[in-house]
Amino acid sequence: QVQLVESGGGLVQAGGPLRLSCAASGRAFSSYAMGWFRQASGKEREFVATISRTGRNTYQADAVKGRFTISRDNVKNTGYLQMNNLKPEDTAVYYCALSPLVTSERNTEYIYWGQGTQVTVSS
């Protein structure tokens, strides 16, 4: 079993940065690919970014490409999502998750989820 706890969310002005963290405890964090997803009010959960077990491979959704960077530190059992140039449409609850696959955009392929952290971007 793995427990995930997100932190770093909050209120930020458009154009500003924010860094989310995802702390993992339990079974080996480095055994899983990690992903970030988000869910805006009234909308379905959507893929944001994913990173492979070693961190060598990353992939971001088109909506955040060039603005968001996913990374991980397997020694600290922590993943990160650096968000720059935030836009009001980035407002959502952000979730980190772990998958036994190499990387995946599909939320159904993630087996461990955090509780989420709210990100609000004001215009």
Side-chain angles (χ1 to χ4, degrees):
Q1 192 72 9
V2 179
Q3 293 78 42
L4 301 175
V5 179
E6 300 97 336
S7 61
L11 175 63
V12 63
Q13 287 189 333
L18 209 57
R19 189 174 85 154
L20 305 183
S21 298
C22 174
S25 61
R27 296 181 63 184
F29 176 67
S30 60
S31 299
Y32 302 93
M34 186 187 76
W36 285 95
F37 293 80
R38 67 186 182 185
Q39 188 167 18
S41 180
K43 295 186 177 181
E44 293 187 353
R45 190 170 298 187
E46 65 174 0
F47 166 76
V48 175
T50 183
I51 187 167
S52 60
R53 298 183 188 97
T54 63
R56 182 174 301 174
N57 298 311
T58 64
Y59 182 74
Q60 296 81 34
D62 288 343
V64 305
K65 200 167 292 183
R67 300 188 297 121
F68 291 12
T69 302
I70 188 172
S71 62
R72 66 190 298 163
D73 184 334
N74 287 341
V75 174
K76 295 182 178 180
N77 288 343
T78 303
Y80 304 96
L81 185 68
Q82 177 66 46
M83 305 184 294
N84 296 326
N85 190 21
L86 281 160
K87 302 177 181 181
E89 52 263 42
D90 295 319
T91 295
V93 177
Y94 283 71
Y95 300 88
C96 66
L98 299 182
S99 168
L101 302 178
V102 177
T103 54
S104 177
E105 300 176 45
R106 300 179 180 180
N107 58 8
T108 54
E109 294 174 349
Y110 287 78
I111 60 175
Y112 298 115
W113 290 84
Q115 83 291 347
T117 184
Q118 176 72 46
V119 172
T120 303
V121 184
S122 64
S123 57

